[in-house]
Amino acid sequence: MNGMDIAEVAQRSGVPASTLRFYEEKGLIASIGRRGLRRMFDANVLERLALIAVGRAAGFSLDEITRMFAPDGRPRIDRKVLMAKAEELDRTIRKLNAMRDGLRHAAACPAPSHMECPTFRRILRAAASGAIGRRERARRPSRH
């Protein structure tokens, strides 16, 4: 049987064997059999693992990533879903930039205490209103 055993896949992909077993359990990857007790994988598993890694780095859940593969295993990535994730990342980046800038200001502010700093007070008001510190729920694009 051609292919790579789980240890080789782990070594070449940087994904721990425990994660590979979990991905297989979730249906993200599939072994092609066993050699003794070791799972064997086709070489194309490395590309699939790279796609999973990109999806995870972009903030997609494993369930969302699973839906990005057709039943035959080929990628079927909805461009609208990618655009929605990019817009979500833009919102997160704007919030984080504002928080970073506010914290830098508060750290260098000449006010006697942080509570007397108008910028720090704005950060507190934003936090109290829920504008920061709360994760947005992922919006799912409608399916027609």
Side-chain angles (χ1 to χ4, degrees):
M1 175 188 318
N2 281 342
M4 299 178 286
D5 72 23
I6 194 168
E8 185 178 354
V9 173
Q11 191 254 332
R12 289 182 60 185
S13 68
V15 176
S18 59
T19 302
L20 295 172
R21 288 188 290 274
F22 178 71
Y23 285 175
E24 185 175 20
E25 185 179 304
K26 294 278 290 175
L28 285 162
I29 61 174
S31 61
I32 57 172
R34 291 185 179 267
R35 182 178 299 141
L37 296 176
R38 291 183 177 231
R39 289 172 170 87
M40 299 297 294
F41 294 91
D42 190 86
N44 69 5
V45 75
L46 296 175
E47 184 174 89
R48 191 169 178 108
L49 289 168
L51 286 168
I52 294 167
V54 167
R56 295 296 288 160
F60 287 101
S61 71
L62 290 179
D63 289 336
E64 290 170 321
I65 293 168
T66 299
R67 290 189 295 274
M68 291 182 183
F69 291 100
D72 67 2
R74 284 190 260 172
R76 78 165 170 218
I77 303 168
D78 184 337
R79 292 172 193 266
K80 290 178 186 173
V81 170
L82 296 180
M83 186 57 72
K85 181 58 77 173
E87 290 168 2
E88 179 185 326
L89 289 172
D90 281 340
R91 287 188 299 275
T92 300
I93 289 166
R94 281 192 299 275
K95 284 181 183 179
L96 290 172
N97 281 335
M99 178 58 69
R100 179 204 57 211
D101 294 347
L103 292 173
R104 283 187 176 154
H105 172 81
C109 182
S113 84
H114 290 100
M115 299 310 288
E116 295 175 57
C117 171
T119 301
F120 191 73
R121 301 286 302 179
R122 276 195 306 277
I123 292 170
L124 290 179
R125 282 192 302 277
S129 72
I132 57 175
R134 192 175 34 167
R135 290 190 65 160
E136 287 185 30
R137 290 185 52 177
R139 286 182 285 146
R140 301 227 189 272
S142 59
R143 297 197 179 225
H144 298 283

